Protein backbone atom coordinates (compact mmCIF):
# COMPACT_ATOMS: atom_id res chain seq x y z
CA UNK A 1 0.00 0.00 0.00
CA UNK A 2 1.40 3.38 -0.99
CA UNK A 3 0.64 6.33 1.23
CA UNK A 4 1.02 9.79 -0.24
CA UNK A 5 1.59 12.83 1.88
CA UNK A 6 0.78 16.17 0.26
CA UNK A 7 3.26 18.99 0.55
CA UNK A 8 2.00 21.93 2.55
CA UNK A 9 3.88 24.92 1.27
CA UNK A 10 3.50 28.47 2.56
CA UNK A 11 6.21 30.06 0.39
CA UNK A 12 7.80 29.20 -2.88
CA UNK A 13 11.54 29.25 -3.56
CA UNK A 14 11.46 32.99 -4.24
CA UNK A 15 9.83 33.80 -0.88
CA UNK A 16 6.33 34.48 -2.24
CA UNK A 17 3.27 33.23 -0.35
CA UNK A 18 1.56 30.49 -2.33
CA UNK A 19 -1.74 30.04 -0.49
CA UNK A 20 -4.39 32.71 -0.96
CA UNK A 21 -6.21 32.20 2.35
CA UNK A 22 -2.96 32.38 4.32
CA UNK A 23 -2.06 35.78 2.91
CA UNK A 24 -4.52 37.45 5.28
CA UNK A 25 -3.13 35.67 8.35
CA UNK A 26 0.55 36.03 7.54
CA UNK A 27 1.13 39.72 7.85
CA UNK A 28 4.40 41.51 7.24
CA UNK A 29 4.65 42.06 11.00
CA UNK A 30 4.28 38.34 11.72
CA UNK A 31 6.90 37.42 9.12
CA UNK A 32 9.28 39.98 10.67
CA UNK A 33 8.63 38.56 14.15
CA UNK A 34 9.37 34.99 13.01
CA UNK A 35 12.50 36.14 11.21
CA UNK A 36 13.69 38.19 14.20
CA UNK A 37 13.44 35.20 16.52
CA UNK A 38 15.07 32.79 14.09
CA UNK A 39 18.03 35.12 13.54
CA UNK A 40 18.28 35.85 17.27
CA UNK A 41 18.40 32.21 18.31
CA UNK A 42 20.75 31.25 15.45
CA UNK A 43 23.10 34.03 16.62
CA UNK A 44 22.86 32.75 20.19
CA UNK A 45 23.58 29.20 19.03
CA UNK A 46 26.66 30.19 17.06
CA UNK A 47 27.97 32.36 19.90
CA UNK A 48 27.48 29.51 22.38
CA UNK A 49 29.35 27.10 20.10
CA UNK A 50 32.21 29.60 19.89
CA UNK A 51 32.28 30.03 23.68
CA UNK A 52 32.24 26.26 24.20
CA UNK A 53 35.16 25.77 21.81
CA UNK A 54 37.08 28.49 23.67
CA UNK A 55 36.52 26.63 26.93
CA UNK A 56 34.26 29.38 28.30
CA UNK A 57 31.20 27.10 28.42
CA UNK A 58 31.54 23.65 29.92
CA UNK A 59 29.33 21.94 27.40
CA UNK A 60 26.79 22.93 24.78
CA UNK A 61 24.25 21.13 22.60
CA UNK A 62 23.72 23.09 19.34
CA UNK A 63 20.36 23.27 17.57
CA UNK A 64 21.23 24.89 14.23
CA UNK A 65 18.71 23.87 11.58
CA UNK A 66 15.86 23.66 14.10
CA UNK A 67 15.24 27.41 14.39
CA UNK A 68 11.95 27.47 12.47
CA UNK A 69 10.45 24.58 14.44
CA UNK A 70 11.53 26.01 17.77
CA UNK A 71 10.63 29.64 17.12
CA UNK A 72 7.36 28.76 15.38
CA UNK A 73 6.13 26.44 18.11
CA UNK A 74 7.13 28.84 20.90
CA UNK A 75 5.45 31.79 19.18
CA UNK A 76 2.22 29.80 18.99
CA UNK A 77 2.06 29.61 22.80
CA UNK A 78 0.15 31.91 25.09
CA UNK A 79 1.83 33.70 27.99
CA UNK A 80 0.26 31.31 30.54
CA UNK A 81 1.33 28.13 28.69
CA UNK A 82 4.05 25.72 29.79
CA UNK A 83 7.32 24.77 28.05
CA UNK A 84 9.12 21.49 28.81
CA UNK A 85 12.39 21.51 26.83
CA UNK A 86 15.21 19.06 26.38
CA UNK A 87 18.86 20.07 26.48
CA UNK A 88 18.63 21.06 22.80
CA UNK A 89 15.54 23.31 22.84
CA UNK A 90 16.88 26.55 24.25
CA UNK A 91 15.92 28.27 20.99
CA UNK A 92 12.30 27.63 21.93
CA UNK A 93 12.76 28.79 25.51
CA UNK A 94 14.52 31.97 24.38
CA UNK A 95 11.71 32.67 21.94
CA UNK A 96 9.16 32.04 24.71
CA UNK A 97 10.89 34.59 26.94
CA UNK A 98 13.78 32.91 28.74
CA UNK A 99 16.60 35.24 29.67
CA UNK A 100 19.60 34.90 27.37
CA UNK A 101 22.20 35.59 30.09
CA UNK A 102 20.61 32.97 32.35
CA UNK A 103 20.63 30.50 29.48
CA UNK A 104 24.39 30.99 29.18
CA UNK A 105 24.63 30.43 32.94
CA UNK A 106 22.79 27.11 32.50
CA UNK A 107 25.39 26.00 29.97
CA UNK A 108 28.10 26.97 32.44
CA UNK A 109 26.60 24.64 35.04
CA UNK A 110 25.11 27.37 37.21
CA UNK A 111 21.84 26.67 39.01
CA UNK A 112 20.61 30.21 38.25
CA UNK A 113 20.44 29.14 34.63
CA UNK A 114 17.43 26.96 35.46
CA UNK A 115 15.40 29.82 36.94
CA UNK A 116 12.84 31.17 34.45
CA UNK A 117 11.87 34.79 34.16
CA UNK A 118 9.11 35.94 36.51
CA UNK A 119 5.77 34.72 35.21
CA UNK A 120 7.28 32.32 32.65
CA UNK A 121 6.38 28.67 32.94
CA UNK A 122 9.56 27.09 31.65
CA UNK A 123 10.67 23.78 33.13
CA UNK A 124 14.45 23.32 33.45
CA UNK A 125 15.96 21.61 30.40
CA UNK A 126 15.84 17.83 30.66
CA UNK A 127 19.16 16.17 29.95
CA UNK A 128 18.07 12.58 30.68
CA UNK A 129 16.04 11.45 27.69
CA UNK A 130 12.23 11.86 28.01
CA UNK A 131 12.14 12.65 31.74
CA UNK A 132 10.29 15.91 31.13
CA UNK A 133 7.35 14.17 29.46
CA UNK A 134 5.50 13.02 32.61
CA UNK A 135 5.88 16.55 34.01
CA UNK A 136 4.40 18.03 30.84
CA UNK A 137 1.49 15.59 30.95
CA UNK A 138 0.92 16.49 34.60
CA UNK A 139 0.95 20.23 33.88
CA UNK A 140 -1.51 19.75 31.00
CA UNK A 141 -3.82 17.65 33.18
CA UNK A 142 -3.65 20.22 35.98
CA UNK A 143 -4.56 23.03 33.58
CA UNK A 144 -7.46 20.97 32.25
CA UNK A 145 -8.74 20.26 35.76
CA UNK A 146 -8.47 23.95 36.63
CA UNK A 147 -10.62 24.66 33.60
CA UNK A 148 -8.07 26.81 31.78
CA UNK A 149 -7.18 26.77 28.11
CA UNK A 150 -3.45 26.79 28.93
CA UNK A 151 -1.30 24.35 27.01
CA UNK A 152 1.87 22.44 27.80
CA UNK A 153 4.36 21.77 25.03
CA UNK A 154 6.99 19.08 25.46
CA UNK A 155 9.98 18.92 23.17
CA UNK A 156 11.70 15.60 22.58
CA UNK A 157 13.74 13.77 20.00
CA UNK A 158 13.15 10.45 18.33
CA UNK A 159 15.25 8.64 20.96
CA UNK A 160 12.65 9.59 23.58
CA UNK A 161 10.01 7.43 21.92
CA UNK A 162 11.76 4.28 23.15
CA UNK A 163 11.87 5.42 26.76
CA UNK A 164 9.39 4.44 29.46
CA UNK A 165 8.68 8.07 30.30
CA UNK A 166 7.39 8.55 26.75
CA UNK A 167 4.87 5.77 27.28
CA UNK A 168 3.81 7.09 30.69
CA UNK A 169 3.63 10.75 29.60
Amino acid sequence: MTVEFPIYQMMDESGQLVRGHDKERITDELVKEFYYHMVRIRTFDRKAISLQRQGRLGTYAPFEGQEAAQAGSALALGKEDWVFPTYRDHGATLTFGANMARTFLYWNGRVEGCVPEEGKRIFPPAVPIATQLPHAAGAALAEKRKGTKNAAIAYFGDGATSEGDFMKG
Side-chain angles (χ1 to χ4, degrees):
M1 177 175 138
T2 302
V3 178
E4 292 187 29
F5 296 96
I7 294 174
Y8 183 79
Q9 186 175 16
M10 299 289 293
M11 289 185 177
D12 63 19
E13 294 76 19
S14 65
Q16 299 300 311
L17 292 175
V18 295
R19 294 186 174 265
H21 68 282
D22 290 327
K23 288 185 179 182
E24 291 98 37
R25 292 188 355 213
I26 301 184
T27 64
D28 288 344
E29 292 76 27
L30 183 58
V31 170
K32 288 175 186 174
E33 184 177 10
F34 281 132
Y35 186 72
Y36 165 80
H37 285 286
M38 288 191 302
V39 169
R40 179 175 177 262
I41 64 178
R42 163 93 39 113
T43 302
F44 173 90
D45 191 53
R46 289 184 174 172
K47 180 64 173 179
I49 291 167
S50 175
L51 291 169
Q52 190 273 332
R53 290 182 180 161
Q54 295 171 33
R56 296 169 66 191
L57 286 182
T59 187
Y60 182 74
F63 61 85
E64 187 165 328
Q66 300 175 24
E67 296 89 352
Q70 291 194 27
S73 60
L75 287 171
L77 297 171
K79 65 179 184 156
E80 297 293 319
D81 291 338
W82 292 86
V83 175
F84 293 84
T86 71
Y87 58 89
R88 201 179 295 275
D89 300 305
H90 31 289
T93 62
L94 290 168
T95 300
F96 188 61
N99 179 285
M100 194 174 284
R102 282 192 187 149
T103 303
F104 278 122
L105 288 173
Y106 168 80
W107 287 107
N108 242 349
R110 303 278 301 270
V111 70
E112 310 93 291
C114 292
V115 179
E117 290 297 297
E118 184 72 34
K120 289 294 178 182
R121 296 173 168 186
I122 303 172
F123 199 72
V127 174
I129 306 300
T131 57
Q132 77 283 13
L133 299 178
H135 298 284
L141 182 58
E143 293 295 341
K144 182 178 179 180
R145 287 190 175 173
K146 289 190 296 186
T148 75
K149 300 259 186 211
N150 300 336
I153 187 170
Y155 294 90
F156 58 93
D158 58 347
T161 62
S162 63
E163 295 291 327
D165 288 329
F166 176 81
M167 301 303 171
K168 294 175 196 170

